[in-house]
Amino acid sequence: MSSAEAVIRPLDQPGDLGWVIAAHGEVYAGEFGWDRSFEALVARIVADFASGHDTEREAAWLAEVGGRRVGCVFCVAGPDSTAQLRLLLVHPDGRGHGLGGRLVDTCLEFARDAGYRTMRLWTNHPLTAARAIYLSRGFTLVDEEAHHSFGLELVGQTYQTQLS
């Protein structure tokens, strides 16, 4: 598959929401050993988005390669003038096309255009590929905290970047 076949599109087709939930559950269980409680968290985030988001200030995108869903990211409203980047994922079938960076760039551009001044995200320490993307886009670590979630001992990390 060539990179010309890799596209980012709005999350707006039947099956998109379910794919986000299933892909997160399968990939995180397979790669990191996370349990079903992570998939349940993703389902709540997706349900909140689907049940009523402000289309001027919140959006989500899917990455496709050859017409197959392989990645996603969400931009949702946080407190004050802060946007939250959520649910970044590139499925193993879509890796190697630069889609993680493209998804984050799409999210950052939307947040800037929507008037947010800051973007934050929460992640966990094993997600090294995502962290590299965030750091390359100007995010800095602003908080860390150990926690037991998804069946494991993890270190949660909050990153932030200024948009203006």
Side-chain angles (χ1 to χ4, degrees), residues 134-152:
Y134 303 141
L135 292 172
S136 74
R137 274 34 182 206
F139 283 87
T140 57
L141 181 66
V142 295
D143 189 37
E144 281 191 304
E145 187 172 337
H147 62 102
H148 181 87
S149 299
F150 322 130
L152 299 169

PDB file of all heavy atoms in Angstrom, residues 134-152:
ATOM      1  N   TYR A 134       3.730  13.219  20.159  1.00  0.00           N
ATOM      2  CA  TYR A 134       3.350  14.394  20.951  1.00  0.00           C
ATOM      3  C   TYR A 134       4.543  15.316  21.165  1.00  0.00           C
ATOM      4  O   TYR A 134       4.444  16.533  20.979  1.00  0.00           O
ATOM      5  CB  TYR A 134       2.772  13.977  22.306  1.00  0.00           C
ATOM      6  CG  TYR A 134       1.582  13.048  22.223  1.00  0.00           C
ATOM      7  CD1 TYR A 134       1.432  12.003  23.122  1.00  0.00           C
ATOM      8  CD2 TYR A 134       0.615  13.191  21.230  1.00  0.00           C
ATOM      9  CE1 TYR A 134       0.347  11.144  23.061  1.00  0.00           C
ATOM     10  CE2 TYR A 134      -0.479  12.328  21.161  1.00  0.00           C
ATOM     11  CZ  TYR A 134      -0.598  11.310  22.082  1.00  0.00           C
ATOM     12  OH  TYR A 134      -1.666  10.457  22.018  1.00  0.00           O
ATOM     13  N   LEU A 135       5.667  14.756  21.562  1.00  0.00           N
ATOM     14  CA  LEU A 135       6.854  15.576  21.815  1.00  0.00           C
ATOM     15  C   LEU A 135       7.317  16.287  20.541  1.00  0.00           C
ATOM     16  O   LEU A 135       7.718  17.452  20.594  1.00  0.00           O
ATOM     17  CB  LEU A 135       7.981  14.723  22.393  1.00  0.00           C
ATOM     18  CG  LEU A 135       7.730  14.176  23.805  1.00  0.00           C
ATOM     19  CD1 LEU A 135       8.814  13.182  24.194  1.00  0.00           C
ATOM     20  CD2 LEU A 135       7.605  15.298  24.826  1.00  0.00           C
ATOM     21  N   SER A 136       7.218  15.615  19.398  1.00  0.00           N
ATOM     22  CA  SER A 136       7.639  16.233  18.142  1.00  0.00           C
ATOM     23  C   SER A 136       6.703  17.358  17.706  1.00  0.00           C
ATOM     24  O   SER A 136       7.077  18.164  16.856  1.00  0.00           O
ATOM     25  CB  SER A 136       7.738  15.185  17.035  1.00  0.00           C
ATOM     26  OG  SER A 136       6.458  14.780  16.592  1.00  0.00           O
ATOM     27  N   ARG A 137       5.507  17.423  18.293  1.00  0.00           N
ATOM     28  CA  ARG A 137       4.539  18.473  17.971  1.00  0.00           C
ATOM     29  C   ARG A 137       4.512  19.556  19.054  1.00  0.00           C
ATOM     30  O   ARG A 137       3.627  20.390  19.070  1.00  0.00           O
ATOM     31  CB  ARG A 137       3.139  17.891  17.832  1.00  0.00           C
ATOM     32  CG  ARG A 137       2.688  17.322  16.487  1.00  0.00           C
ATOM     33  CD  ARG A 137       3.689  16.669  15.691  1.00  0.00           C
ATOM     34  NE  ARG A 137       3.212  16.185  14.390  1.00  0.00           N
ATOM     35  CZ  ARG A 137       3.788  15.184  13.767  1.00  0.00           C
ATOM     36  NH1 ARG A 137       4.811  14.542  14.320  1.00  0.00           N
ATOM     37  NH2 ARG A 137       3.381  14.826  12.576  1.00  0.00           N
ATOM     38  N   GLY A 138       5.487  19.555  19.945  1.00  0.00           N
ATOM     39  CA  GLY A 138       5.595  20.627  20.930  1.00  0.00           C
ATOM     40  C   GLY A 138       4.908  20.390  22.251  1.00  0.00           C
ATOM     41  O   GLY A 138       4.875  21.279  23.106  1.00  0.00           O
ATOM     42  N   PHE A 139       4.352  19.216  22.468  1.00  0.00           N
ATOM     43  CA  PHE A 139       3.750  18.909  23.768  1.00  0.00           C
ATOM     44  C   PHE A 139       4.857  18.720  24.797  1.00  0.00           C
ATOM     45  O   PHE A 139       5.932  18.210  24.476  1.00  0.00           O
ATOM     46  CB  PHE A 139       2.922  17.625  23.691  1.00  0.00           C
ATOM     47  CG  PHE A 139       1.590  17.776  23.035  1.00  0.00           C
ATOM     48  CD1 PHE A 139       1.467  17.647  21.661  1.00  0.00           C
ATOM     49  CD2 PHE A 139       0.444  18.042  23.776  1.00  0.00           C
ATOM     50  CE1 PHE A 139       0.238  17.765  21.034  1.00  0.00           C
ATOM     51  CE2 PHE A 139      -0.788  18.167  23.159  1.00  0.00           C
ATOM     52  CZ  PHE A 139      -0.898  18.031  21.785  1.00  0.00           C
ATOM     53  N   THR A 140       4.579  19.126  26.028  1.00  0.00           N
ATOM     54  CA  THR A 140       5.506  18.901  27.130  1.00  0.00           C
ATOM     55  C   THR A 140       4.770  18.206  28.272  1.00  0.00           C
ATOM     56  O   THR A 140       3.565  18.419  28.480  1.00  0.00           O
ATOM     57  CB  THR A 140       6.121  20.220  27.647  1.00  0.00           C
ATOM     58  OG1 THR A 140       5.070  21.101  28.032  1.00  0.00           O
ATOM     59  CG2 THR A 140       6.977  20.876  26.581  1.00  0.00           C
ATOM     60  N   LEU A 141       5.505  17.391  29.000  1.00  0.00           N
ATOM     61  CA  LEU A 141       4.953  16.677  30.148  1.00  0.00           C
ATOM     62  C   LEU A 141       4.687  17.672  31.270  1.00  0.00           C
ATOM     63  O   LEU A 141       5.589  18.411  31.669  1.00  0.00           O
ATOM     64  CB  LEU A 141       5.950  15.607  30.609  1.00  0.00           C
ATOM     65  CG  LEU A 141       5.531  14.743  31.791  1.00  0.00           C
ATOM     66  CD1 LEU A 141       4.332  13.871  31.432  1.00  0.00           C
ATOM     67  CD2 LEU A 141       6.708  13.880  32.230  1.00  0.00           C
ATOM     68  N   VAL A 142       3.450  17.707  31.776  1.00  0.00           N
ATOM     69  CA  VAL A 142       3.111  18.639  32.853  1.00  0.00           C
ATOM     70  C   VAL A 142       2.710  17.931  34.148  1.00  0.00           C
ATOM     71  O   VAL A 142       2.640  18.561  35.199  1.00  0.00           O
ATOM     72  CB  VAL A 142       2.005  19.643  32.430  1.00  0.00           C
ATOM     73  CG1 VAL A 142       2.511  20.544  31.314  1.00  0.00           C
ATOM     74  CG2 VAL A 142       0.720  18.941  32.025  1.00  0.00           C
ATOM     75  N   ASP A 143       2.459  16.598  34.081  1.00  0.00           N
ATOM     76  CA  ASP A 143       2.087  15.871  35.287  1.00  0.00           C
ATOM     77  C   ASP A 143       2.251  14.375  35.042  1.00  0.00           C
ATOM     78  O   ASP A 143       2.057  13.904  33.915  1.00  0.00           O
ATOM     79  CB  ASP A 143       0.639  16.183  35.681  1.00  0.00           C
ATOM     80  CG  ASP A 143       0.276  15.629  37.045  1.00  0.00           C
ATOM     81  OD1 ASP A 143       1.133  15.646  37.953  1.00  0.00           O
ATOM     82  OD2 ASP A 143      -0.875  15.170  37.205  1.00  0.00           O
ATOM     83  N   GLU A 144       2.616  13.668  36.107  1.00  0.00           N
ATOM     84  CA  GLU A 144       2.715  12.210  36.074  1.00  0.00           C
ATOM     85  C   GLU A 144       2.163  11.668  37.374  1.00  0.00           C
ATOM     86  O   GLU A 144       2.371  12.263  38.431  1.00  0.00           O
ATOM     87  CB  GLU A 144       4.172  11.745  36.002  1.00  0.00           C
ATOM     88  CG  GLU A 144       4.817  11.801  34.685  1.00  0.00           C
ATOM     89  CD  GLU A 144       6.154  11.082  34.677  1.00  0.00           C
ATOM     90  OE1 GLU A 144       7.032  11.411  35.493  1.00  0.00           O
ATOM     91  OE2 GLU A 144       6.302  10.197  33.838  1.00  0.00           O
ATOM     92  N   GLU A 145       1.479  10.513  37.280  1.00  0.00           N
ATOM     93  CA  GLU A 145       0.968   9.897  38.494  1.00  0.00           C
ATOM     94  C   GLU A 145       0.795   8.403  38.293  1.00  0.00           C
ATOM     95  O   GLU A 145       0.175   7.964  37.316  1.00  0.00           O
ATOM     96  CB  GLU A 145      -0.380  10.524  38.882  1.00  0.00           C
ATOM     97  CG  GLU A 145      -0.877  10.060  40.223  1.00  0.00           C
ATOM     98  CD  GLU A 145      -2.112  10.819  40.679  1.00  0.00           C
ATOM     99  OE1 GLU A 145      -2.339  11.948  40.223  1.00  0.00           O
ATOM    100  OE2 GLU A 145      -2.844  10.247  41.497  1.00  0.00           O
ATOM    101  N   ALA A 146       1.349   7.627  39.225  1.00  0.00           N
ATOM    102  CA  ALA A 146       1.189   6.177  39.182  1.00  0.00           C
ATOM    103  C   ALA A 146      -0.253   5.825  39.526  1.00  0.00           C
ATOM    104  O   ALA A 146      -0.886   6.483  40.363  1.00  0.00           O
ATOM    105  CB  ALA A 146       2.149   5.522  40.170  1.00  0.00           C
ATOM    106  N   HIS A 147      -0.782   4.805  38.861  1.00  0.00           N
ATOM    107  CA  HIS A 147      -2.142   4.355  39.135  1.00  0.00           C
ATOM    108  C   HIS A 147      -2.286   2.902  38.714  1.00  0.00           C
ATOM    109  O   HIS A 147      -1.495   2.384  37.917  1.00  0.00           O
ATOM    110  CB  HIS A 147      -3.169   5.240  38.402  1.00  0.00           C
ATOM    111  CG  HIS A 147      -3.047   5.217  36.918  1.00  0.00           C
ATOM    112  ND1 HIS A 147      -3.877   4.486  36.110  1.00  0.00           N
ATOM    113  CD2 HIS A 147      -2.180   5.843  36.063  1.00  0.00           C
ATOM    114  CE1 HIS A 147      -3.539   4.661  34.829  1.00  0.00           C
ATOM    115  NE2 HIS A 147      -2.505   5.478  34.787  1.00  0.00           N
ATOM    116  N   HIS A 148      -3.309   2.253  39.263  1.00  0.00           N
ATOM    117  CA  HIS A 148      -3.643   0.891  38.851  1.00  0.00           C
ATOM    118  C   HIS A 148      -4.896   0.985  38.001  1.00  0.00           C
ATOM    119  O   HIS A 148      -5.966   1.331  38.487  1.00  0.00           O
ATOM    120  CB  HIS A 148      -3.888  -0.010  40.058  1.00  0.00           C
ATOM    121  CG  HIS A 148      -4.203  -1.412  39.647  1.00  0.00           C
ATOM    122  ND1 HIS A 148      -3.230  -2.356  39.409  1.00  0.00           N
ATOM    123  CD2 HIS A 148      -5.383  -2.034  39.388  1.00  0.00           C
ATOM    124  CE1 HIS A 148      -3.798  -3.488  39.038  1.00  0.00           C
ATOM    125  NE2 HIS A 148      -5.102  -3.314  39.011  1.00  0.00           N
ATOM    126  N   SER A 149      -4.759   0.707  36.724  1.00  0.00           N
ATOM    127  CA  SER A 149      -5.891   0.759  35.800  1.00  0.00           C
ATOM    128  C   SER A 149      -5.702  -0.291  34.727  1.00  0.00           C
ATOM    129  O   SER A 149      -4.570  -0.677  34.406  1.00  0.00           O
ATOM    130  CB  SER A 149      -5.992   2.132  35.125  1.00  0.00           C
ATOM    131  OG  SER A 149      -6.185   3.156  36.069  1.00  0.00           O
ATOM    132  N   PHE A 150      -6.817  -0.727  34.167  1.00  0.00           N
ATOM    133  CA  PHE A 150      -6.806  -1.643  33.023  1.00  0.00           C
ATOM    134  C   PHE A 150      -6.075  -2.944  33.349  1.00  0.00           C
ATOM    135  O   PHE A 150      -5.509  -3.592  32.479  1.00  0.00           O
ATOM    136  CB  PHE A 150      -6.222  -0.958  31.780  1.00  0.00           C
ATOM    137  CG  PHE A 150      -6.633   0.488  31.646  1.00  0.00           C
ATOM    138  CD1 PHE A 150      -5.691   1.473  31.411  1.00  0.00           C
ATOM    139  CD2 PHE A 150      -7.966   0.869  31.766  1.00  0.00           C
ATOM    140  CE1 PHE A 150      -6.066   2.811  31.293  1.00  0.00           C
ATOM    141  CE2 PHE A 150      -8.349   2.210  31.652  1.00  0.00           C
ATOM    142  CZ  PHE A 150      -7.395   3.172  31.418  1.00  0.00           C
ATOM    143  N   GLY A 151      -6.068  -3.295  34.653  1.00  0.00           N
ATOM    144  CA  GLY A 151      -5.456  -4.535  35.098  1.00  0.00           C
ATOM    145  C   GLY A 151      -3.961  -4.463  35.344  1.00  0.00           C
ATOM    146  O   GLY A 151      -3.341  -5.490  35.600  1.00  0.00           O
ATOM    147  N   LEU A 152      -3.385  -3.266  35.270  1.00  0.00           N
ATOM    148  CA  LEU A 152      -1.927  -3.117  35.391  1.00  0.00           C
ATOM    149  C   LEU A 152      -1.543  -1.923  36.242  1.00  0.00           C
ATOM    150  O   LEU A 152      -2.331  -1.007  36.457  1.00  0.00           O
ATOM    151  CB  LEU A 152      -1.311  -2.934  33.996  1.00  0.00           C
ATOM    152  CG  LEU A 152      -1.506  -4.059  32.998  1.00  0.00           C
ATOM    153  CD1 LEU A 152      -1.079  -3.610  31.624  1.00  0.00           C
ATOM    154  CD2 LEU A 152      -0.713  -5.278  33.433  1.00  0.00           C
TER     155      LEU A 152
END
